[in-house]
């Protein structure tokens, strides 16, 4: 499996070998550039794909899970327009889910946080700002974002969150080092619905359904209207096919709160 440390080690050895060759024969500069380019491409793809576990080990799906259970996850809330509708649908279908909430949204909607928790769903940390530049933050700034969001949930629910999902599913060295210190479980996914990108409800639903197997983790967003309509259809599909939607912590048998 491709891991950041292994890839780094390999490319350092290759670079040194080329430098050694260069003392005997002239190695063209483009060979060094090509080597760096390969490292950059592999590291970029690994950083953008949480399922690769390139920088850190994330819970992306439960492989060889025997029971027909899956985990639905919602990012970027709580949202006053859509999260309550999602909670109603989940209740109607007796389904449990996990909400990865953004700190500044939590601050605006503490009452929705209480509703999510009271309904038996789990809540995870999705940073305070969800800034577009988050992936360029250093270790301490990442820790501050995580701690600030944890503190908000603690003040509302008197619970310390154990689950974390990085914005955009991007991981890097700073995030990895920060999480080593905060000790959150990192939750990824294996089914990306693309509900923030696609505008065709059926296309989103089909994309999810064709990939569902026991132990799947589905990524949705409670910040989009289309997601409410997709969820309604998805819950019907799950019911018709005897699938049970449970929280990620129940699926992976880990603790959502400390
Ligand atoms: Zn997000």
């Amino acid at each position: 499996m491709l891991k950041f440390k292994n890839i780094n080690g390999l490319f350092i050895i290759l670079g040194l070998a080329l430098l050694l060759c260069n003392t005997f024969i002239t190695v063209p500069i483009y060979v060094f550039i090509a080597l760096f380019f390969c490292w950059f491409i592999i590291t970029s793809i690994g950083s953008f794909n949480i399922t690769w576990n390139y920088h850190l080990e994330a819970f992306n799906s439960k492989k060889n899970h025997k029971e027909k259970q899956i985990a639905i996850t919602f990012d970027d809330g709580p949202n006053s327009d859509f999260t309550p509708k999602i909670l109603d649908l989940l209740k109607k279908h007796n389904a449990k889910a996990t909400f990865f909430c953004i700190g500044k949204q939590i601050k605006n909607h503490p009452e929705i946080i209480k509703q999510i928790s009271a309904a038996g769903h789990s809540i995870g940390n999705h940073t305070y700002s969800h800034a577009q530049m988050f992936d360029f933050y250093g270790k301490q700034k990442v820790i501050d974002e995580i701690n600030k969001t944890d503190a908000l949930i603690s003040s509302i629910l008197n619970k310390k969150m154990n689950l974390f999902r990085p914005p955009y599913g991007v991981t890097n060295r700073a995030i990895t080092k920060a999480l080593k210190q905060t000790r959150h479980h990192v939750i990824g996914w294996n089914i990306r619905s693309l509900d923030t990108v696609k505008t065709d409800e059926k296309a989103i639903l089909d994309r999810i359904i064709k990939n569902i197997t026991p132990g799947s983790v589905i990524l949705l967003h409670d910040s989009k209207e289309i997601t409410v309509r997709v969820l309604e259809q998805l819950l019907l599909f799950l019911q018709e096919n005897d699938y049970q939607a449970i929280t990620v912590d129940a699926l992976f048998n880990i603790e959502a709160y400390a």
Side-chain angles (χ1 to χ4, degrees):
M1 200 65 186
L2 294 177
K3 301 280 176 201
F4 179 73
K5 278 183 183 165
N6 301 344
I7 290 296
N8 255 10
L10 175 68
F11 277 80
I12 287 169
I13 290 167
L14 288 174
L16 290 173
L18 282 177
L19 282 173
L20 189 66
C21 288
N22 203 36
T23 59
F24 302 109
I25 49 157
T26 305
V27 178
I29 189 72
Y30 65 78
V31 175
F32 287 96
I33 294 171
L35 189 69
F36 173 77
F37 189 68
C38 287
W39 172 87
F40 181 76
I41 291 291
I42 294 170
T43 297
S44 297
I45 297 173
S47 300
F48 278 94
N49 285 281
I50 199 162
T51 50
W52 272 32
N53 285 341
Y54 187 67
H55 289 285
L56 49 80
E57 290 291 326
F59 291 92
N60 299 312
S61 67
K62 192 163 183 189
K63 298 207 166 61
N64 306 316
H65 192 48
K66 299 278 184 289
E67 292 170 72
K68 288 188 89 174
Q69 295 172 323
I70 55 104
I72 303 175
T73 64
F74 298 96
D75 285 12
D76 300 356
N79 179 295
S80 55
D81 292 325
F82 312 123
T83 311
K85 289 178 185 167
I86 283 171
L87 289 175
D88 286 347
L89 282 172
L90 292 170
K91 189 179 177 187
K92 187 176 158 191
H93 291 272
N94 199 23
K96 298 293 179 219
T98 307
F99 293 78
F100 289 93
C101 298
I102 298 172
K104 60 184 182 185
Q105 292 293 110
I106 297 169
K107 203 174 170 185
N108 290 335
H109 306 293
E111 73 292 347
I112 303 180
I113 291 295
K114 285 180 190 164
Q115 287 167 19
I116 295 172
S117 180
H121 307 295
S122 293
I123 297 170
N125 191 320
H126 196 41
T127 75
Y128 183 81
S129 66
H130 202 286
Q132 281 186 341
M133 298 300 283
F134 184 81
D135 305 322
F136 296 96
Y137 284 5
K139 174 188 154 190
Q140 193 52 50
K141 219 169 165 187
V142 172
I143 290 173
D144 291 346
E145 286 258 343
I146 293 173
N147 287 347
K148 207 170 164 185
T149 311
D150 274 358
L152 272 170
I153 288 294
S154 293
S155 70
I156 300 166
L157 299 177
N158 205 21
K159 288 176 179 175
K160 154 82 176 65
M161 287 186 288
N162 255 349
L163 310 177
F164 174 78
R165 174 172 280 165
Y168 320 107
V170 173
T171 53
N172 58 34
R173 293 314 291 159
I175 295 172
T176 305
K177 285 177 189 168
L179 288 164
K180 241 179 205 164
Q181 201 162 315
T182 66
R183 306 180 66 85
H184 288 73
H185 295 300
V186 182
I187 310 296
W189 57 75
N190 71 326
I191 302 179
R192 185 172 211 157
S193 66
L194 297 181
D195 58 342
T196 53
V197 183
K198 289 182 184 283
T199 50
D200 179 359
E201 187 181 319
K202 193 179 175 313
I204 298 170
L205 185 68
D206 287 350
R207 188 183 159 86
I208 300 170
I209 285 173
K210 77 171 187 214
N211 289 303
I212 280 186
T213 54
S216 288
V217 177
I218 302 164
L219 168 65
L220 288 164
H221 294 81
D222 53 334
S223 54
K224 305 290 286 182
E225 206 212 333
I226 196 166
T227 305
V228 180
R229 299 199 299 272
V230 169
L231 179 67
E232 194 163 16
Q233 298 304 312
L234 175 61
L235 289 169
L236 284 171
F237 168 86
L238 295 176
Q239 208 166 315
E240 283 162 11
N241 290 275
D242 296 322
Y243 271 102
Q244 189 190 4
I246 59 175
T247 61
V248 280
D249 43 296
L251 180 65
F252 294 111
N253 205 16
I254 56 178
E255 296 295 329
Y257 307 100

